[in-house]
Amino acid sequence: MPGTFEPLPGGGAAVALDDVEISIIRSLAVQMMELIGPGPAEDASADPLADLFAEGPSEPPSDPVLRRLFPDAYGDPDGTPGAKEAEEQKAHSAEFRRYTENDLRAGKRDNALAVIRSLDALSPVGEGGAVLELSPDDSRKWLGALNDLRLAIGARLEISDEDDGDLLFHLPDQDPRKPMVMAYLWLGGLQETLVTTLMP
């Protein structure tokens, strides 16, 4: 079980983590929450209907990590659109973003917070480690958070496709990007085994 998620009887997943791994994941989740930004202010409306229709930003984020986490909904995957098509796509993306980004941010914030809380609740087992046991619901939150963390690190490393990841895998040890690449690959392994546990 070390370093890989395994299914639990009745649903959910478990993984053995050492103190360093716990510290890394927790630190990354905290950074993710800081990057995404705070939730609604304390003086925000208590009316859930008003919150449902609250408008979010219409412009894409300037930070490349946030652009990867909250991409435009409309675009031409097959090439560069003409000027008219580009303007239409921009307008549609802005409208979509206004009504969805707040919810997307809240979901990503909730996932990161679930990771932090579950790690904080761990009881040490044996020499410098613990076994994390997740319910099916927490497993899905962890899966979302692991995906977001990999997207964020991938954006910082400027990984745009699988070939970029393969090249980074062979970086020399003295390359300053190496620790971030190792975290990216390790989180990918965790994510893959967690997906396997959630498959019917």
Side-chain angles (χ1 to χ4, degrees):
M1 184 194 297
T4 61
F5 278 98
E6 294 184 3
L8 287 173
V15 63
L17 299 170
D18 65 31
D19 288 344
V20 173
E21 292 168 331
I22 292 167
S23 175
I24 290 170
I25 296 172
R26 190 184 188 289
S27 174
L28 290 171
V30 168
Q31 290 176 53
M32 177 63 66
M33 289 191 66
E34 291 172 352
L35 181 65
I36 291 170
E42 288 181 15
D43 59 350
S45 167
D47 180 0
L49 188 59
D51 291 342
L52 181 65
F53 292 101
E55 292 185 7
S58 59
E59 292 297 318
S62 58
D63 186 299
V65 172
L66 290 175
R67 275 200 310 273
R68 180 79 59 94
L69 292 172
F70 305 103
D72 279 338
Y74 296 90
D76 183 0
D78 300 323
T80 306
K84 182 180 178 186
E85 291 84 2
E87 279 303 311
E88 288 175 356
Q89 289 172 5
K90 184 177 179 183
H92 291 314
S93 290
E95 190 74 4
F96 186 81
R97 186 179 296 279
R98 260 178 45 207
Y99 294 108
T100 60
E101 188 167 315
N102 284 345
D103 286 342
L104 291 173
R105 283 180 183 262
K108 292 180 186 302
R109 196 179 300 110
D110 288 346
N111 290 343
L113 188 56
V115 167
I116 294 165
R117 286 180 174 157
S118 59
L119 292 175
D120 287 349
L122 280 177
S123 300
V125 176
E127 287 293 319
V131 175
L132 173 69
E133 293 188 355
L134 300 173
S135 68
D137 185 51
D138 282 337
S139 295
R140 286 185 285 278
K141 290 180 179 181
W142 263 74
L143 188 59
L146 289 172
N147 186 61
D148 290 342
L149 292 174
R150 288 193 77 237
L151 285 173
I153 294 172
R156 290 286 185 243
L157 291 170
E158 299 179 353
I159 296 174
S160 59
D161 60 37
E162 203 58 45
D163 291 339
D164 293 339
D166 291 342
L167 290 172
L168 289 171
F169 184 72
H170 301 291
L171 287 176
D173 289 342
Q174 61 271 22
D175 191 297
R177 297 172 294 172
K178 188 74 172 192
M180 201 181 302
V181 169
M182 297 311 293
Y184 177 81
L185 296 171
W186 172 59
L187 291 173
L190 281 176
Q191 182 181 10
E192 186 176 335
T193 61
L194 185 51
V195 166
T196 303
T197 70
L198 295 174
M199 294 172 74

